[in-house]
Amino acid sequence: ASGLDVRIVHFSFRDGQPREFPGRPSPLPLVLEIHVEVNNPSSFDFSPLGQLQLGIASASGLRFAMVRTDSNVDLPPGMSNLSLSGELAVADEDLERFGPLLGDYIQGQEIPLQSIFLSSTEPLYHKALGGIPITAALPGLLTNNQPARIFERVKLDINAFEDAYSLARRRDLHDYCYIEGTNPLNVSLTFYKIEVDIFYDGEWIGDVHVPWLDTPINMSAYQQRYTPPVRFPVRLSASTTTVLSMFERLMLPNGLIYVDVAVNLTFSAGNQVYTMPHYDTGVEVSLHL
């Protein structure tokens, strides 16, 4: 089994069905679906291998899912295709470590994984394969061959003329903005906390810091370009030259500037809460009119 060549060709999450627990809220699990190609380079036919159950972990050993083959498996010599499904299940003590891993996946980065055979319905292989690791690489999430985006557009709710003068004098301005975002995942998300550092032409120019949202923001699976009815507090702090450059462009008809944002998001997906770093480039900024 250590000689098997495994390639992940499809990896996705989706909202599962609520479970019914009398007298308690029904947690919504996240269903994980994986399709893999397995190359058996030997002349030995692993048949019948039975139905397999595997634990999925990062290369560093962070286990985050348990999956099963959808049916009994045979691995004859050569290439085979397997479908597996299960649930995302991160231990509470590992949630802090899983957030950055999820962030890397959404940013399009390849994630080294290891799978560990836990059981087989065939007693012979259950004993032989137990605990054998198999490595694979999880391709990062891409949209149109680009890393997935979360932040699409920011609309500044400010008086550009008055604020440009105040900002030029004090280099610090507190105002509000609206944020348009996209959910790149096929699961519903609820956001509780948002921290954003904003960069313009490579210069840090301010931030949005909301320790906890009074009303959490809900986004459905794959929801596109959604602007929640929330005025986020934005702090702008920049040099006079940068201020003049920004507002000169913003005050043109259909004026736009583009910024980069480094973000920490706290949100729930399924029945667990994660804090995830994220970075988007070329985010549109305009005035809210």
Side-chain angles (χ1 to χ4, degrees), residues 244-258:
L244 293 176
S245 173
M246 289 169 49
F247 283 102
E248 181 180 19
R249 298 182 190 183
L250 285 171
M251 288 186 289
L252 293 172
N254 301 315
L256 284 176
I257 62 172
Y258 295 90

Side-chain angles (χ1 to χ4, degrees), residues 48-53 68-73 119-122:
L49 198 55
Q51 188 175 27
L52 301 178
Q53 176 175 280
R68 295 178 177 83
T69 54
D70 294 342
S71 59
N72 289 335
V73 172
S119 68
S120 168
T121 53
E122 288 293 325

Side-chain angles (χ1 to χ4, degrees), residues 137-176:
L138 171 64
L141 181 64
L142 296 177
T143 304
N144 298 322
N145 292 320
Q146 297 293 323
R149 298 182 65 87
I150 295 179
F151 281 69
E152 301 283 1
R153 186 167 182 151
V154 175
K155 298 180 181 180
L156 294 173
D157 190 13
I158 64 178
N159 184 314
F161 290 100
E162 292 182 6
D163 288 348
Y165 175 72
S166 297
L167 190 55
R169 289 179 57 216
R170 295 185 295 135
R171 295 193 60 185
D172 194 66
L173 178 69
H174 295 263
D175 251 308
Y176 293 92

